[in-house]
Amino acid sequence: MTTEIELRNIQKWFGSNQVIKDFNLTIAPHEFIVMLGQSGCGKTTTLRAIAGLETIDDGDILIDGEPVQHLKCSDRDIAMVFQSFSLYPHMTVYENIAFPLRATRMGKADIDKAVKEIARILQISDLLDKRPSALSGGDMQRVAIGRALVRQPKAMLMDEPIGALDAKLREQMRAEIKRLHVKQGSTTVYVTHDQVEAMSLADRIVIMHDGKLQQVGRPEEVYLHPANLFVAQFVGSPVMNVADIDIGTADSATEIRLQGSEKGFAFGDAALTGIRRDAPVALGIRPEAVLLSHSKSNDHLSAVTTNIEPLGSHDIVDVKIGGQTLRARTESGFVAGEGQEVWVNLDPEQAHFFDRESGLSLRKAQ
Amino acid sequence: MTTLTMTRLDPQSRAARRGMSDISIRNLFIIPTILFLIIFNIFPLLYSLYYSFTDFRASTNAPANWVGLANYRELLNDPFIWTNFTITAKYVIVSVAGQVVVGFGVAMLLNRDIPFKGLITTLLLLPMMLSMAVVGLFWKLLYDPSFGIINYVLGLGRFEWLSDPDMALYAVAITDIWMWSPFVMLLSLAGLSAVPKHLYEAAAIDRAGPLYTFFRITLPLVAPILMIAIIFRTMEAFKTFDIAYIMTSQPTTEMIAIRLYKMAFQEWQTGMSCAFAYIVLIMVVAITNIYVKYLNKVKER
């Protein structure tokens, strides 16, 4: 199962609405790709186009170098796990898993062997005689995955496969999908809107917005070096702070002033290389790079806390500087309550700068 | 019991001001229905059960004599009655099978995005809305050997549809298929559109061909509702009277309902025909039971 999938200049319209805009992506063999985006961004449509459930208006889909965009899904040999599970309600678990093998007229003994083997891997051997209606959500999903894996397809597509499960089960199934992928190593494309799922599962994350590919990269790459404002604000929880800033000088040092604030943060010139001073710039800074302190010092700015979210392992504290609010991540209990004065500094190493007009990161080169 | 679960009457309501309690309102709604059922259904049922054990003839003033099971014994030993049953069985099988094939087939054709789907469906339902007698009369004209349009279109010359003893029953069955296929189609269409689209997508991904998908996905999922259509049509076909009686009077088309009619209102063997009616009733109940058992088995899935 060393399948390579390549998408070249995919275009897709629904009426006058273009849902996939010039999409290019090469998926390496054994790779686990997660397509991440809000609902309606075109990620599911792209997945269905790879599967053959959706036609494309322009471009090429290549599987192992062969163009397949004109083939029916049955000729592409790709398995898919649906969000709604799509188990056959009138068949037992065994018959569900055996369905793709029976449909291609495989021998009875071989089918039995394959089904039992996959049931053993997925730990559903004792459910084989039950009907889907008697299963829990997690077991239904296991059966759906089993049905997809049993015929050893060229590639596996998953459309929000655990989106319908409750939070605890989702975590468990996430680990299981990862374990299965490590074991089976099939090329996998996984669609989700949940960035935690994406970060934890993906070899590479593909972020889509409004039908356009925004960034492709390893999870840490996407997190540490977002290509644009959309990616910056979509990946990471809590969301990255974005503030309009002015870059100026004070006491011969470069300074970053949040708009509406009189004083600024001293940033070394090194942190600002290559950033134009004349265009409107937005600062992006993750909550963990907003540093709070109880003691006054010269490079810190005074601020007032406005809101505290205690999350157990850490707190999220909102501080107001000038007219703008920054969210900071602190150890739990660091700030006692709202309305307190704290001292704020930013970590220049972890600061991102974006062009306000295009939204593009100004330090893409790094 | 019922009074406990009943909603209390609003004391401000007009009914309450007229001095009615909620029990009297309940009775007002239920008693007419129950009276109607007793007078027109239950009483005749029991009354005819009594007559089926007598030699009563409605055409004479002679009192009814109790004869015990003699009527039933005589009927079940009568070879002509068995001929009527055979004819009926043949008719039921041909007619219901034809309706299922045609109705389900048309439903399959309609179960996709086609222009004017609503209009086409409505037009196809028209035969079902006509009166049986009217359908029988104008199909008699269509079948006419000298000027009927069917022979003209099929180029059969002067083929005798209704006066040919071997053909007449099938000719009646064809009329029945024409009239009642829309009913099967309507129920099948409801069943087909209830099959979730994503199951077809899953089957396509699982590399199932169209035939395999039809027999393993579509048919099993539509089976329960198709079964209901078959139950209804079997019961109706079993008691067919009007179409066959109007279209032809061949001995080969004498189904049980016609035989029963003749026995009761031409030969005036009232007691005997009551017994016959009871035999038919028991048979219909038995056949329906078999279907319902099967339906429940299908529904379990």
Side-chain angles (χ1 to χ4, degrees):
Chain A
M1 289 187 281
T2 54
T3 309
E4 188 186 79
I5 301 172
E6 196 180 342
L7 307 176
R8 277 190 205 152
N9 309 97
I10 307 291
Q11 316 269 7
K12 166 86 184 166
W13 276 269
F14 282 140
S16 60
N17 181 18
Q18 190 171 6
V19 288
I20 306 177
K21 297 171 184 163
D22 199 25
F23 192 94
N24 284 285
L25 181 69
T26 306
I27 301 164
H30 304 303
E31 200 172 22
F32 199 116
I33 287 278
V34 174
M35 299 223 265
L36 180 63
Q38 292 156 325
S39 43
C41 73
K43 55 190 195 305
T44 297
T45 313
T46 311
L47 191 80
R48 290 168 59 87
I50 300 175
L53 294 172
E54 211 74 74
T55 55
I56 53 172
D57 294 310
D58 199 16
D60 297 296
I61 300 171
L62 296 97
I63 295 177
D64 284 334
E66 295 285 322
V68 297
Q69 63 268 26
H70 301 299
L71 294 182
K72 285 190 291 186
C73 28
S74 50
D75 299 324
R76 299 191 189 186
D77 193 12
I78 279 181
M80 183 158 168
V81 178
F82 296 84
Q83 180 176 18
S84 51
F85 311 133
S86 288
L87 298 178
Y88 307 121
H90 55 294
M91 299 183 194
T92 63
V93 168
Y94 183 96
E95 288 167 322
N96 263 285
I97 298 178
F99 187 89
L101 303 179
R102 286 181 177 164
T104 49
R105 310 266 185 279
M106 201 190 205
K108 225 179 183 149
D110 293 336
I111 291 178
D112 194 59
K113 219 177 111 203
V115 172
K116 296 222 161 111
E117 167 68 11
I118 211 81
R120 193 183 56 75
I121 294 173
L122 290 161
Q123 294 154 6
I124 48 173
S125 301
D126 49 336
L127 303 177
L128 286 176
D129 294 330
K130 293 196 175 166
R131 292 197 190 281
S133 53
L135 300 182
S136 66
D139 287 335
M140 276 166 134
Q141 196 54 75
R142 283 196 189 90
V143 176
I145 292 172
R147 189 178 64 184
L149 282 177
V150 72
R151 64 183 165 91
Q152 305 186 316
K154 282 189 182 158
M156 232 346 223
L157 307 179
M158 300 191 180
D159 184 8
E160 308 213 17
I162 57 182
L165 307 181
D166 61 62
K168 199 177 163 216
L169 200 54
R170 214 153 50 207
E171 206 157 297
Q172 195 185 330
M173 287 304 293
R174 207 166 66 205
E176 217 157 302
I177 288 171
K178 183 133 198 174
R179 175 179 67 89
L180 265 176
H181 178 252
V182 170
K183 198 167 188 170
Q184 306 269 322
S186 41
T187 310
T188 305
V189 184
Y190 185 106
V191 160
T192 183
H193 62 266
D194 179 359
Q195 45 125 347
V196 180
E197 253 170 57
M199 299 289 282
S200 60
L201 286 171
D203 291 328
R204 281 195 301 160
I205 295 180
V206 174
I207 295 164
M208 287 185 76
H209 179 55
D210 201 17
K212 271 199 275 267
L213 190 149
Q214 304 288 322
Q215 188 173 5
V216 185
R218 294 193 314 279
E220 64 273 18
E221 241 172 61
V222 172
Y223 186 80
L224 294 176
H225 304 292
N228 57 35
L229 265 176
F230 176 80
V231 176
Q233 293 198 284
F234 196 73
V235 177
S237 172
V239 174
M240 180 189 275
N241 296 297
V242 173
D244 291 323
I245 54 162
D246 295 319
I247 301 173
T249 40
D251 306 335
S252 76
T254 314
E255 185 178 74
I256 299 228
R257 269 195 300 272
L258 303 187
Q259 283 179 3
S261 163
E262 279 156 32
K263 292 166 108 185
F265 298 100
F267 265 48
D269 281 330
L272 290 168
T273 36
I275 291 167
R276 282 157 55 213
R277 314 265 163 131
D278 47 349
V281 171
L283 167 77
I285 190 134
R286 295 211 181 270
E288 60 262 34
V290 179
L291 309 167
L292 298 192
S293 155
H294 285 307
S295 55
K296 180 178 176 169
S297 67
N298 276 340
D299 51 349
H300 282 53
L301 292 187
S302 159
V304 176
T305 60
T306 56
N307 187 32
I308 294 166
E309 291 173 21
L311 296 175
S313 61
H314 59 273
D315 289 355
I316 302 298
V317 179
D318 291 8
V319 293
K320 204 157 193 176
I321 299 176
Q324 308 208 35
T325 300
L326 292 183
R327 316 196 81 196
R329 181 178 163 144
T330 68
E331 54 190 275
S332 45
F334 183 78
V335 179
E338 285 91 0
Q340 290 205 341
E341 187 175 36
V342 287
W343 300 89
V344 184
N345 197 6
L346 306 179
D347 180 2
E349 294 282 304
Q350 295 186 54
H352 304 269
F353 297 95
F354 300 98
D355 184 325
R356 238 319 165 197
E357 272 148 21
S358 66
L360 290 177
S361 173
L362 293 170
R363 279 207 289 192
K364 218 177 176 179
Q366 279 193 354
Chain B
M1 260 281 282
T2 43
T3 46
L4 286 177
T5 55
M6 202 159 18
T7 326
R8 307 298 306 179
L9 200 62
D10 181 2
Q12 299 300 316
S13 66
R14 219 187 317 168
R17 267 184 279 136
R18 282 187 190 167
M20 294 167 94
S21 71
D22 43 2
I23 292 183
S24 59
I25 289 185
R26 179 194 69 180
N27 291 344
L28 198 67
F29 278 100
I30 292 176
I31 286 176
T33 316
I34 290 182
L35 274 181
F36 186 89
L37 272 177
I38 289 174
I39 294 170
F40 290 102
N41 279 0
I42 297 175
F43 169 72
L45 201 67
L46 296 175
Y47 201 54
S48 61
L49 181 64
Y50 161 70
Y51 275 136
S52 74
F53 296 110
T54 66
D55 64 355
F56 180 65
R57 298 174 80 90
S59 55
T60 66
N61 278 330
N65 296 315
W66 183 265
V67 294
L69 287 170
N71 285 335
Y72 289 91
R73 209 177 300 129
E74 196 178 323
L75 279 168
L76 293 175
N77 284 323
D78 184 347
F80 294 108
I81 295 290
W82 286 107
T83 315
N84 295 135
F85 273 119
T86 317
I87 291 168
T88 310
K90 215 198 279 179
Y91 175 79
V92 168
I93 290 168
V94 171
S95 158
V96 173
Q99 285 164 33
V100 168
V101 170
V102 175
F104 194 75
V106 175
M108 287 286 285
L109 289 176
L110 279 177
N111 186 38
R112 64 189 74 193
D113 287 325
I114 48 171
F116 308 114
K117 186 173 160 180
L119 181 70
I120 293 171
T121 312
T122 312
L123 288 177
L124 283 172
L125 290 180
L126 280 178
M128 210 169 92
M129 299 170 189
L130 299 173
S131 141
M132 287 273 217
V134 173
V135 170
L137 284 173
F138 80 72
W139 270 80
K140 212 170 160 179
L141 296 177
L142 298 181
Y143 277 135
D144 192 282
S146 47
F147 57 80
I149 195 161
I150 291 176
N151 280 352
Y152 176 76
V153 169
L154 297 179
L156 289 175
R158 297 185 64 86
F159 184 73
E160 308 261 357
W161 286 91
L162 294 170
S163 21
D164 180 339
D166 295 327
M167 197 59 212
L169 188 72
Y170 298 107
V172 176
I174 289 171
T175 307
D176 199 46
I177 292 169
W178 175 84
M179 186 169 178
W180 288 108
S181 290
F183 176 79
V184 180
M185 179 201 83
L186 196 63
L187 286 188
S188 307
L189 205 54
L192 283 171
S193 52
V195 179
K197 243 198 183 112
H198 59 79
L199 289 187
Y200 291 121
E201 289 185 345
I205 290 277
D206 286 342
R207 298 195 288 180
L211 267 183
Y212 195 79
T213 308
F214 176 78
F215 283 108
R216 296 307 306 272
I217 309 282
T218 313
L219 205 53
L221 289 173
V222 182
I225 203 159
L226 193 61
M227 214 57 217
I228 289 172
I230 292 173
I231 291 176
F232 271 103
R233 289 317 307 151
T234 306
M235 282 177 359
E236 288 277 312
F238 209 85
K239 57 182 200 189
T240 298
F241 172 76
D242 21 22
I243 284 196
Y245 191 76
I246 287 167
M247 287 178 74
T248 169
S249 48
Q250 298 283 336
T252 53
T253 61
E254 192 179 78
M255 281 177 269
I256 40 178
I258 297 175
R259 178 85 207 93
L260 187 57
Y261 168 78
K262 286 182 178 163
M263 197 186 276
F265 302 108
Q266 290 179 355
E267 299 160 15
W268 294 107
Q269 303 190 51
T270 314
M272 181 80 85
S273 60
C274 284
F276 192 20
Y278 260 88
I279 293 172
V280 173
L281 177 73
I282 289 165
M283 288 182 122
V284 171
V285 169
I287 293 171
T288 314
N289 252 317
I290 295 170
Y291 277 138
V292 170
K293 280 243 165 65
Y294 180 76
L295 176 69
N296 285 337
K297 217 180 89 190
V298 170
K299 267 207 290 200
E300 258 172 40
R301 311 200 284 221

